[in-house]
Amino acid sequence: MTAISFTASKSALAVSLYSVTDLGRLTGETFSFATDINDLGEVAINSSGRSFFYSNGSLKKISPLPGDNQLAVTSINNLGQVVGNSVGSNNFTGNNPFLYSNGITQPLPIRDAIPYAINDRTQIVGGATGLGPFLYSDGIATSIGTPGTVAYGLNNLGQVVGILNSNTAFLYQNGQTTNLGTLPGDGYSVANDINDSGQVVGGSGLTGVDDSHAFLYSSNTGLQDLGKLRPTDLFSFGGGINNLGQAVGFSGTNPNFFAPDGNGLRAFLYSDNTLYDLNDLIAPGSDAGFTLTAASAINNKGQIVGRGAVNGELRAFLLTPTSSVSVPEPTSGVPILSFGAVVTLFAALKGKRNSSSAVIQQKLQVNKGIT
C-alpha cells in the first residue's frame, strides 16, 4: 500500500468560484434538497412530500401517480427524464416507481421498488422487494443480484454500482458483479455514483456512512481515500462524480446529514487531487446566506446541486461556475491512499433523512447506510 499526501505548496491551483441559486426559496417550503442535475442545468428537487423539476429559472411540480399523495425524486438524465417513487400515505401499499417525462408521471412495471438512477438511454436501476437490485431497460426489469443488494448509480455504458448484501460496494458490468471491497481496516462500503470513464465515488467505513471516508475508485488505482475536510471531522462521503473526474459530497461531525442549522457539516468538491470546502469557493456577494452542508451531484459543466442551511431552514441550492481563480492548496494535507491489490467499488444520498420523503423511501426496508 502506498500513501501519498498532498500538502501545501508554493504553487496555487486554478479552481472555479461559484454563484449560488437558492432553489429552496422557489419551492416556498422550509425544507428542500436537490438530488441530481443534468448537463442542461435541469435539477430534480424534493421538499416535504412534494417534488419539482427545475429548468431555466422556474419550477414545475411533479405529480404523484394516480391514487398516491406523496412522492420523492432521485435522478435526472440529459433528456429531462426524472425517476422516483410515490405512495399513498393514508393507505400504504408499497413504493410505486415512476418515470417523469415531458410533464407526465408514468408508472414503471416494477412492484414495491425505488429507482435511484437513470441514464441517457433511459435505463434505470434501483432496488425492489421482490427483484432485489434491478436494471430496467427497453420495458423490461431484470434482477442483477440478490435481495439485500441495491443499485444506486448507473452510467451511459450500462455499468452499475451500489451496495452488495448490505455491506460492500459493488460494480456490475456485462452480467458480472465485482465486489469492490473497502478501504484498509473497514467493514463497510457503498458506491453511490459512476461516470462514463468507470470512476466511482462513495464511502468506506468501519460500520456505516457516519464513520466513513469518501473514496474514488477506478480500475487502475482501486479505492482511493479522499480524506476529510478537517482533521476533526468524523466522516466524509462522495455523492456524485462527473466525466471530468470531479467529485462532490460532504464532510463533518453531525450524523444528522439533513440538519437545518448547518452545524457540523460542509459540502466539498474534489478536483485535481485536492479536497475543497465549497463554502470557500463562493463568489463575493453571492452566498445568499447559505452554509452549504452537502453536495449531491455535479454535471459536466461543473454545476453542483445539494442542500444547505439558511436561517434555520434546509434549502436546495444550485452552484454555477462564474470564473477561475488561483487559490492556495489547503494547508492540511489531504491524504490519498491507493492500493492496487484490492480490486475494487451507498447508499446514496438519495436516501432522505428527517423528511416525509425519507419516510417514503424507507418503506422498502433496504440498507442504504444513511437512512
Side-chain angles (χ1 to χ4, degrees), residues 18 30 39 51 54 56 60 62 75 120 123-125 146 181 183 189 202 240 274 318-319 327 338 347:
Y18 297 88
T30 60
D39 290 338
S51 298
Y54 170 85
N56 296 322
K60 291 183 180 178
I62 299 176
S75 180
D120 295 340
Q123 293 177 309
I124 300 167
V125 296
T146 58
L183 293 172
S189 65
T274 305
L318 165 65
L319 303 184
V327 299
S338 63

Side-chain angles (χ1 to χ4, degrees), residues 100-254:
Y100 172 84
S101 183
N102 297 318
I104 300 174
T105 305
Q106 308 167 31
L108 293 174
I110 313 169
R111 292 183 59 84
D112 201 11
I114 299 176
Y116 286 108
I118 181 172
N119 67 13
D120 295 340
R121 297 159 58 186
T122 318
Q123 293 177 309
I124 300 167
V125 296
T129 298
L131 283 176
F134 66 83
L135 171 63
Y136 175 83
S137 183
D138 298 324
I140 299 174
T142 303
S143 176
I144 59 172
T146 58
T149 298
V150 184
Y152 292 113
L154 170 71
N155 67 14
N156 287 318
L157 302 179
Q159 295 175 300
V160 182
V161 296
I163 186 167
L164 181 67
N165 298 325
S166 301
N167 64 5
T168 312
F170 76 86
L171 168 65
Y172 172 90
Q173 56 184 340
N174 300 323
Q176 299 295 319
T177 298
T178 300
N179 185 331
L180 298 183
T182 67
L183 293 172
D186 287 343
Y188 170 93
S189 65
V190 58
N192 196 51
D193 196 17
I194 181 170
N195 67 14
D196 290 341
S197 297
Q199 293 176 300
V200 180
V201 292
S204 174
L206 292 174
T207 60
V209 176
D210 55 2
D211 61 17
S212 70
H213 278 210
F215 70 71
L216 174 68
Y217 163 84
S218 73
S219 59
N220 293 328
T221 64
L223 294 181
Q224 292 178 290
D225 187 343
L226 300 187
K228 300 174 292 185
L229 281 175
R230 297 174 179 83
T232 55
D233 283 351
L234 302 178
F235 52 76
S236 63
F237 185 81
I241 188 169
N242 66 13
N243 286 340
L244 301 177
Q246 296 174 304
V248 294
F250 62 87
S251 179
T253 59
N254 187 348

Side-chain angles (χ1 to χ4, degrees), residues 45-107:
I45 304 170
N46 286 320
S47 64
S48 299
R50 300 198 299 168
S51 298
F52 301 89
F53 174 88
Y54 170 85
S55 179
N56 296 322
S58 63
L59 286 183
K60 291 183 180 178
K61 183 180 177 182
I62 299 176
S63 298
L65 292 169
D68 291 340
N69 60 1
Q70 289 187 333
L71 76 167
V73 293
T74 52
S75 180
I76 185 171
N77 66 11
N78 284 326
L79 303 176
Q81 296 173 311
V82 178
V83 291
N85 64 288
S86 71
V87 301
S89 61
N90 296 324
N91 184 24
F92 181 77
T93 57
N95 289 283
N96 301 311
F98 65 78
L99 171 68
Y100 172 84
S101 183
N102 297 318
I104 300 174
T105 305
Q106 308 167 31

